[in-house]
Amino acid sequence: MVSFEDAFGDMPLIAILRGLPADCAIKTGTALFEAGFRIIEVPLNSTGALESIELLSAHLGDEVLIGAGTVVDAVDVRRVADRGAQIIVAPNLNPKVGRATRDAGLIWCPGIMSPTEAFSALDQGADVLKVFPAELVPPDVISAMKTVLPADSKMVAVGGVTADVMQAYVLRGTDGFGLGSGLYKPVYELSDVKSRALNYVSVMKRLSAQTL
């Protein structure tokens, strides 16, 4: 299985496939992988999420980090771990979910909005900080938080991220992004999803090169 460090280092974008039908999981995941994505999240409030996670893990798990999103109950951590999930993404900071994630040996990405929540998450073992919803946390706020957080802290902005706002976030220290409806909706044609994915990857590569 691919490690988080390798996947995130290769392409720090998380594909959020909310509403993904299980019978579209493999072809959608394959299209994203071919476009350059290395981390895919299926929110648990999607119909058939567990089946999709299992299918994606079985077919792409050696090259793509597969995870579960909208994990708000510790019981769900073991359920998704049993189906091959390697990363647990949450909209909030729930210590019980954090403990369950660590106990399962998975990557934990809780939602935070403030320095207090960020430090608390790191103290509880968070691997990545999900700044959510990003619409309420401008780039300058992330920059301010980054100045006081440990230098190796990773922050991803999630919520309303479009290609044209990525530059402002990256220039102020944002390490990556979670991409939802701007990348995927069940009504999008597969070719459209891949085109959107290629555009996001191209923008991220360009911005990463600029900040080296």
Side-chain angles (χ1 to χ4, degrees):
M1 289 187 176
V2 65
S3 69
F4 169 75
E5 290 75 14
D6 287 343
F8 193 82
D10 190 26
M11 180 49 58
L13 299 176
I14 301 172
I16 303 170
L17 306 184
R18 191 175 304 280
L20 175 71
D23 59 0
C24 295
I26 295 174
K27 62 182 181 182
T28 302
T30 299
L32 291 169
F33 170 66
E34 291 174 347
F37 276 75
R38 297 296 178 264
I39 306 176
I40 294 175
E41 164 199 335
V42 181
L44 290 187
N45 58 352
S46 300
T47 301
L50 294 177
E51 183 181 356
S52 292
I53 290 169
E54 187 168 14
L55 288 168
L56 288 167
S57 298
H59 287 80
L60 295 170
D62 289 339
E63 299 173 293
V64 180
L65 192 75
I66 306 300
T70 318
V71 182
V72 296
D73 191 324
V75 173
D76 287 327
V77 174
R78 176 48 60 188
R79 294 173 66 207
V80 298
D82 289 343
R83 288 163 173 80
Q86 294 176 264
I87 181 170
I88 300 297
V89 184
N92 61 337
L93 176 58
N94 184 331
K96 292 181 180 179
V97 172
R99 284 195 296 272
T101 302
R102 292 197 307 276
D103 290 346
L106 307 180
I107 300 296
W108 184 34
C109 181
I112 63 98
M113 282 190 68
S114 69
T116 297
E117 290 181 336
F119 276 107
S120 179
L122 293 174
D123 287 344
Q124 295 174 50
D127 300 281
V128 191
L129 301 174
K130 171 184 173 179
V131 181
F132 175 80
E135 296 97 327
L136 299 180
V137 187
D140 286 341
V141 174
I142 290 183
S143 177
M145 284 197 280
K146 291 282 282 191
T147 63
V148 296
L149 291 171
D152 60 350
S153 300
K154 292 182 174 61
M155 301 182 77
V156 296
V158 182
V161 176
T162 57
D164 59 344
V165 305
M166 290 169 64
Q167 178 170 333
Y169 279 97
V170 170
L171 292 178
R172 288 163 180 78
T174 306
D175 300 290
F177 299 93
L179 306 169
S181 60
L183 172 67
Y184 175 83
K185 286 184 179 181
V187 296
Y188 293 165
E189 295 291 337
L190 185 61
S191 59
D192 188 18
V193 173
K194 189 165 185 178
S195 176
R196 290 166 181 265
L198 287 167
N199 183 49
Y200 275 117
V201 168
S202 176
V203 171
M204 193 70 230
K205 285 182 176 179
R206 174 173 56 80
L207 294 175
S208 297
Q210 290 177 359
T211 56
L212 290 177

